[in-house]
Amino acid sequence: MNVKGNLIEIEASIEEACKQFGRDRSNVQIIAVTKYVSIDRTIEAVEAGITHLGESRDDGLLKKWDELNHKVAWHFIGSLQTKKVKKIIDKVDYIHSLDRLSLAEEIHKRSSKQINCFVQVNVSGEESKHGIHSNEVIDFIHKMKDFPNIRVVGLMTMAPFTEDQQVIRECFRNLRLLSLDVQALTLPYAPCLELSMGMSNDFEIAVEEGATFLRIGTSLVGKEF
Ligand SMILES: *Cc1c(COP(=O)(O)O)cnc(C)c1O
């Protein structure tokens, strides 16, 4: 397990996808997802050049934050329980899992500044998935005007669990189309220019379909627990 080596390989794939699809590499940000690894492995990632870290649990975030807070940007990527908001809100730069009004209300209430949020979308409509259904996203985003501490920087999704690359591609493509619909509203609190999509197994497709933030765990930092 060598984070630097993994990063070099991932970087090459991202550059290739950018080149083929006419994208500027500087518009794609890697978030190293460290939920399955220790602080030591996380430090190794930062030393390898990672500047954005993602965690999906409050305790994981707090531990790593204490060690590394000033060195990186912090992303909360997992489903977020309303009662956990106050523990993490001052520590995170982005929340990727805004998926209900009660959560928006709590983020707004607990934060002293604007928080960059991604609205999580259940593009595939699978029962088991978190996120707002595509046809409800526009309504939901309009409602964010009541919560001035929420800034909708973009949309986030997780691809369906399948080997079928075409199905994954459609999912990412639909998220991008939806983000264009939101952009067209020109809401000051919802610029919606970012797309958080792509994980270890599908980040190349995500780059091809317009991802601006990739959430990469296992293939970058491995899995220790
Ligand atoms: C764990 C997780 C990831 C990273 O998954 P890998 O397959 O390990 O790259 C990305 N996004 C979310 C929301 C996650 O919970």
Side-chain angles (χ1 to χ4, degrees):
M1 181 67 220
N2 171 334
V3 177
K4 182 82 195 174
N6 293 342
L7 183 57
I8 288 169
E9 280 182 25
I10 290 168
E11 188 55 50
S13 303
I14 294 173
E15 274 172 30
E16 179 63 28
C18 282
K19 207 190 289 169
Q20 281 201 0
F21 282 72
R23 296 200 56 202
D24 187 339
R25 170 66 189 92
S26 66
N27 292 333
V28 183
Q29 181 64 56
I30 299 172
I31 302 167
V33 175
T34 53
K35 67 182 181 209
Y36 296 131
V37 301
S38 61
I39 290 183
D40 285 349
R41 184 68 61 76
T42 306
I43 291 171
E44 189 185 335
V46 173
E47 284 171 352
I50 287 294
T51 54
H52 289 249
L53 293 181
E55 275 285 333
S56 58
R57 295 199 32 208
D58 57 303
D59 47 353
L61 179 96
L62 295 178
K63 262 192 230 147
K64 284 157 186 147
W65 193 91
D66 280 343
E67 194 87 19
L68 289 161
N69 68 77
H70 51 285
K71 293 196 176 135
V72 295
W74 295 90
H75 297 256
F76 194 89
I77 61 165
S79 65
L80 180 53
Q81 287 178 274
T82 309
K83 66 178 184 203
K84 298 283 171 71
V85 169
K86 61 176 182 294
K87 294 176 74 177
I88 59 136
I89 196 71
D90 295 331
K91 314 262 192 292
V92 295
D93 300 292
Y94 296 85
I95 293 174
H96 290 243
S97 44
L98 176 56
D99 62 356
R100 58 194 190 277
L101 275 183
S102 58
L103 183 58
E105 202 175 331
E106 182 70 6
I107 292 170
H108 171 69
K109 188 169 113 190
R110 298 290 179 183
S111 181
S112 50
K113 60 174 198 313
Q114 266 205 332
I115 299 284
N116 296 319
C117 293
F118 289 84
V119 171
Q120 183 167 353
V121 185
N122 182 354
V123 178
S124 56
E126 287 170 291
E127 284 293 330
S128 59
K129 280 222 153 60
H130 287 277
I132 297 177
H133 284 244
S134 298
N135 57 1
E136 291 163 3
V137 166
I138 298 281
D139 261 5
F140 180 81
I141 287 178
H142 276 298
K143 289 184 183 142
M144 294 305 104
K145 80 168 182 319
D146 296 337
F147 310 113
N149 283 341
I150 299 233
R151 181 173 172 82
V152 180
V153 294
L155 304 181
M156 176 276 212
T157 200
M158 292 173 82
F161 192 70
T162 172
E163 300 276 292
D164 188 337
Q165 308 250 313
Q166 197 52 38
V167 170
I168 295 170
R169 188 177 295 282
E170 294 274 304
C171 170
F172 293 156
R173 186 167 295 174
N174 287 333
L175 192 73
R176 192 175 81 86
L177 292 175
L178 190 54
S179 79
L180 296 179
D181 291 344
V182 179
Q183 287 172 29
L185 303 172
T186 65
L187 302 171
Y189 55 87
C192 209
L193 296 169
E194 311 293 345
L195 288 171
S196 168
M197 56 192 198
M199 313 187 352
S200 288
N201 293 324
D202 54 22
F203 70 86
E204 288 102 336
I205 305 175
V207 173
E208 292 167 9
E209 295 300 331
T212 63
F213 284 94
L214 309 173
R215 310 178 311 269
I216 307 182
T218 325
S219 69
L220 176 57
V221 293
K223 187 165 182 172
E224 296 176 300
F225 42 78

